[in-house]
Amino acid sequence: MIYQNLPDARGHFGPYGGRFVAETLMEPLRRLEEAYLRLKDDPAFRAELEKDLKYYVGRPSPLYPAERLTRAWGGAQVFLKREDLNHTGAHKINNTVGQALLAKHLGKTRIIAETGAGQHGVASATVAARLGMECVVYMGVDDVERQSPNVYRMKLLGARVVPVTSGTRTLKDALNEALRDWVTNVDNTFYIIGTVAGPHPYPMLVRDFNAVVGREVVEQSQDMLGRFPDALVACVGGGSNAIGLFHPFIEHDAVKMYGVEAGGLGLATGQHAAPLSAGRPGVLHGNRTYVMADDNGQILGTHSISAGLDYPGVGPEHSWLKDIGRVSYVTVTDDEALAAFHELARVEGIIPALESAHAVAYAKKLAPQMRRDQTIVVNLSGRGDKDIFTVAKREGIQLL
Amino acid sequence: MSRIEGVFAALRQRGGKALIPYITAGDPHPDQTVALMHALVRGGADIIELGVPFSDPMADGPTIQLACERALAHGTSLSRVLDMVTGFRGTDTTTPVVLMGYLNPIEAMGLETFALRARAAGVDGVLIVDLPVEEAPEAVPMLHAQGLDCVFLLAPTSSEARIDATVQQASGYLYYVSLKGVTGASTLDVGSVAEKLAVIRRHTRLPLAVGFGIRDAASAAQVGRIADGVVVGSALVEQIARHAQAPAALPQILRDQLGALRAALDALPASNP
């Protein structure tokens, strides 16, 4: 199958994507798109970005052969793409470093961001500190509570964390609030969106900045295996780590891809965050995509043990990849993710983020169905230090 | 001529200005909305903008966000909002009603079903906040086919190219957002609004209504001098919020509050911008 070069000029991935925002933001989005298209192939900009990724983020991240896990699961060889080893502990920094450079080139002096688990907030506060820019991070009050270590991290980095009390008090409401800030302060402010959602050009540029993950896997798998992996597995909330891994492989049909959504307490309970598996197309946060909504078009609250997956929408490119059947979207429950969290810690000595643990849990189901000479690459999108309080609390252990 | 065009034509003839109040349907309770709409008419409303509540109103400030939450808590769906318009039309067949809201509830009903039902209910125009002209090529003909006017937003950031593209799709009137911000902000700069309205008038003869930042008689009069219509929303919704627990007094309160703006607009010297 030949895949078009998407998005198209209007930011559409098939019927998805686009720019569904109030008029005030249309011209700023057009200018951002214009600046990005000009800079992305500019040799000086590229050199600056590559330098930051190498010396500040610490790229490339290793492709780690998880031999004990492979033996334990009995089937395909499992490799972990170690995005957890990046500066700030997740793939999120790939995008914030890129968008910060855009902000600098656009002459902006103030950074805003939304965050769920806090990883994107930390990654935004980090790049803002480095550029000497003011930084405001919007975060739902419920997330402020369950991710308090990251809240403190952001404050240490000089950011102001604004708790959002509207709506369901989680990531989607933080995104609404960040958009309201941006529309008010659009002259001096750059909005660093943390995932491949939002209005065009964000789904495109966040994808492009994260695609370094997949490009490295292309090279690393050639070096280590002499061929491409047979399967890629990544968790999908908004979907930035998944699209980053998948994108360079999309045209290679032999490489199977699995996007793992948060099944929460199980799809049948309605308590989940799996719009691709159990939602319907709609419009949220500036783009058309699969969303979790009721029959009247009101966006539903979501549930996941992982704050970073707790979002009722998903990047529009994922919606398109689902419809054309290029990527299989599956779910993993809270309990399965938690079991994978422990298993990876005990078997490989790696504590994964609860988000990434969803990908690990699905790989565990997939590996035994594959041959021993086949390979799976799991995107270990972040480290789990931020989640130890959540896990301890859930297991009835009191820390501190 | 649509009901909205009729209102502006009549106002133009006598040099008057349109007063356009906004309330969120279903706030504080769905049973009260029709009475509040009639109160707005008695207070001097020329057109009513009726908000369709949405769970994620990203262009609105805290006042209208909370109005949406109150309305949704009582199960105010788009379908019920259309029933409210039908109820209003039971006794008022002249005041235009414009539904203002976000795209997702409309798409959940289905655009064509919505257009048919809106026409049948007596809706005159539709303003979909998160549907800029670029994304509207299917919606506009469908709404026009049912005789519904498509009201679009213009903003301080709108380029001349965007103004041009927007006025070609718009009908009824244009809603100029007076400031960079969300509803309920209070940083109105009348000088810069006047400059931008002059630019927009070079592209269209459609009436220009101005909203965001108009809170009282004084700000209404300032804007009335330079625009064809004045939209007031958050200031009314604040009163609704204040009296949400004892709503019996609300019709009179809204009528008086709007009446002050009406008087301020009517006191302006007749003009023909």
Side-chain angles (χ1 to χ4, degrees):
Chain A
M1 179 166 182
I2 304 294
Y3 298 94
Q4 304 137 281
N5 192 17
L6 293 178
D8 66 17
R10 288 165 56 218
H12 290 199
F13 301 86
Y16 302 108
R19 200 174 268 168
F20 295 87
V21 295
E23 174 64 22
T24 313
L25 289 179
M26 289 300 287
E27 185 65 14
L29 286 167
R30 193 193 61 77
R31 283 189 201 158
L32 173 61
E33 177 191 2
E34 187 183 80
Y36 174 67
L37 292 177
R38 177 166 43 83
L39 287 168
K40 78 181 177 95
D41 298 320
D42 175 72
F45 182 85
R46 292 205 63 79
E48 213 176 343
L49 179 60
E50 274 158 32
K51 191 174 138 206
D52 278 358
L53 289 174
K54 183 172 179 185
Y55 295 104
Y56 191 64
V57 176
R59 303 209 69 90
S61 69
L63 184 64
Y64 166 69
E67 292 171 359
R68 292 213 339 130
L69 211 54
T70 299
R71 273 200 296 281
W73 290 351
Q77 300 164 51
V78 180
F79 289 76
L80 304 177
K81 179 60 174 167
R82 297 292 308 275
E83 290 299 294
D84 59 316
L85 295 178
N86 293 336
H87 180 42
T88 73
H91 72 287
K92 294 289 187 188
I93 190 85
N94 301 323
N95 168 47
T96 58
V97 159
Q99 291 201 45
L101 276 182
L102 287 178
K104 196 173 93 176
H105 280 268
L106 287 168
K108 304 294 181 183
T109 57
R110 181 172 175 271
I111 298 278
I112 59 170
E114 85 293 338
T115 199
Q119 292 301 96
H120 174 59
V122 168
S124 298
T126 299
V127 296
R130 185 157 169 261
L131 291 172
M133 289 191 196
E134 183 191 348
C135 181
V136 177
V137 180
Y138 292 92
M139 190 169 185
V141 281
D142 288 4
D143 292 334
V144 168
E145 237 167 72
R146 57 178 165 173
Q147 301 288 342
S148 57
N150 271 343
V151 174
Y152 186 56
R153 239 168 243 143
M154 287 183 260
K155 287 180 182 166
L156 286 175
L157 291 160
R160 189 158 66 84
V161 179
V162 180
V164 176
T165 55
S166 57
T168 60
R169 303 136 68 101
T170 57
L171 177 56
K172 84 172 172 73
D173 310 286
L175 223 153
N176 289 331
E177 210 52 41
L179 283 165
R180 291 176 187 127
D181 179 314
W182 196 35
V183 83
T184 307
N185 302 296
V186 66
D187 291 334
N188 72 342
T189 297
F190 191 98
Y191 179 16
I192 301 189
I193 291 188
T195 191
V196 285
H200 180 61
Y202 282 103
M204 171 178 73
L205 67 87
V206 177
R207 174 197 71 195
D208 291 353
F209 287 136
N210 272 305
V212 66
V213 176
R215 285 198 303 271
E216 286 177 5
V217 173
V218 166
E219 272 188 36
Q220 290 165 324
S221 60
Q222 291 292 357
D223 289 351
M224 296 166 75
L225 308 165
R227 60 191 183 86
F228 287 155
D230 298 289
L232 307 175
V233 181
C235 65
V236 177
S240 64
N241 90 80
I243 215 82
L245 174 63
F246 295 168
H247 189 65
F249 289 99
I250 284 184
E251 302 216 351
H252 301 282
D253 285 321
V255 181
K256 296 211 164 13
M257 302 181 180
Y258 300 88
V260 187
E261 293 192 290
L265 306 180
L267 291 188
T269 65
Q271 299 292 304
H272 58 80
L276 290 167
S277 304
R280 62 178 88 188
V283 173
L284 177 68
H285 293 147
N287 66 101
R288 187 187 302 283
T289 191
Y290 278 82
V291 298
M292 288 174 55
D294 67 17
D295 290 343
N296 295 315
Q298 305 297 342
I299 305 303
L300 291 169
T302 50
H303 165 81
S304 170
I305 189 175
S306 140
L309 302 182
D310 213 349
Y311 180 62
V314 64
E317 191 165 6
H318 285 292
S319 295
W320 180 69
L321 291 170
K322 172 192 159 76
D323 282 8
I324 63 169
R326 179 64 187 93
V327 177
S328 305
Y329 292 92
V330 296
T331 60
V332 150
T333 64
D334 287 354
D335 287 342
E336 291 169 320
L338 202 59
F341 174 91
H342 286 297
E343 185 170 10
L344 193 63
R346 295 291 182 86
V347 176
E348 292 289 355
I350 297 169
I351 301 177
L354 282 172
E355 291 78 12
S356 321
H358 283 72
V360 176
Y362 188 73
K364 182 178 183 167
K365 299 182 189 183
L366 189 61
Q369 302 169 29
M370 294 169 64
R371 296 192 315 270
R372 282 167 196 275
D373 62 339
Q374 292 186 303
T375 54
I376 301 177
V377 170
V378 179
N379 201 4
L380 203 70
S381 55
R383 69 178 181 222
D385 307 43
K386 69 182 175 60
D387 292 314
I388 60 173
F389 296 94
T390 304
V391 173
K393 189 174 169 192
R394 190 185 162 100
E395 296 177 348
I397 298 161
Q398 192 164 1
L399 300 180
L400 303 177
Chain B
M1 186 185 287
S2 76
R3 238 181 323 230
I4 293 173
E5 287 170 332
V7 163
F8 280 105
L11 284 166
R12 196 163 282 192
Q13 218 160 30
R14 61 170 209 266
K17 304 297 180 174
L19 179 56
I20 310 175
Y22 166 99
I23 58 171
T24 302
D27 173 35
H29 192 279
D31 295 345
Q32 279 137 6
T33 299
V34 172
L36 295 185
M37 291 170 77
H38 288 306
L40 293 174
V41 174
R42 282 192 286 271
D46 295 298
I47 296 169
I48 292 174
E49 285 185 357
L50 189 61
V52 179
F54 182 48
S55 53
D56 292 77
M58 63 183 181
D60 286 296
T63 301
I64 291 175
Q65 288 170 44
L66 290 171
C68 286
E69 289 185 16
R70 284 191 297 273
L72 291 173
H74 294 111
T76 308
S77 61
L78 176 55
S79 187
R80 284 187 80 175
V81 175
L82 293 170
D83 292 343
M84 293 172 200
V85 177
T86 305
F88 175 73
R89 284 279 172 253
T91 48
D92 186 325
T93 56
T94 55
T95 311
V97 174
V98 174
L99 293 187
M100 182 170 182
Y102 294 80
L103 184 57
N104 204 53
I106 293 175
E107 288 204 343
M109 178 176 280
L111 254 173
E112 193 157 24
T113 307
F114 165 73
L116 288 163
R117 286 191 58 186
R119 180 201 173 97
V123 171
D124 297 281
V126 179
L127 196 180
I128 306 171
V129 177
D130 55 351
L131 188 71
V133 282
E134 286 85 343
E135 303 287 358
E138 287 174 26
V140 169
M142 240 177 245
L143 295 169
H144 279 163
Q146 297 305 321
L148 298 165
D149 279 319
C150 296
V151 180
F152 281 94
L153 299 171
L154 287 172
T157 52
S158 303
S159 64
E160 295 220 25
R162 289 199 50 75
I163 293 170
D164 214 42
T166 303
V167 300
Q168 287 177 30
Q169 302 291 319
S171 58
Y173 60 98
L174 288 158
Y175 184 135
Y176 180 69
V177 175
S178 70
L179 49 85
K180 294 171 195 161
V182 293
T183 53
S186 54
T187 47
L188 185 64
D189 174 355
V190 177
S192 65
V193 173
E195 277 175 34
K196 195 74 179 190
L197 293 186
V199 173
I200 297 169
R201 283 190 212 286
R202 291 206 298 268
H203 293 265
T204 184
R205 295 189 50 124
L206 280 173
L208 306 182
V210 173
F212 286 41
I214 294 148
R215 306 197 50 80
D216 49 26
S219 47
Q222 281 182 305
V223 171
R225 282 192 188 90
I226 54 174
D228 304 302
V230 171
V231 184
V232 57
S234 291
L236 299 173
V237 175
E238 277 169 22
Q239 289 300 326
I240 295 176
R242 200 163 295 151
H243 298 88
Q245 300 309 319
L250 265 176
Q252 190 61 44
I253 289 168
L254 290 196
R255 179 181 174 174
D256 291 347
Q257 189 182 5
L258 200 64
L261 275 70
R262 176 80 270 165
L265 288 182
D266 289 346
L268 294 174
S271 67
N272 218 334

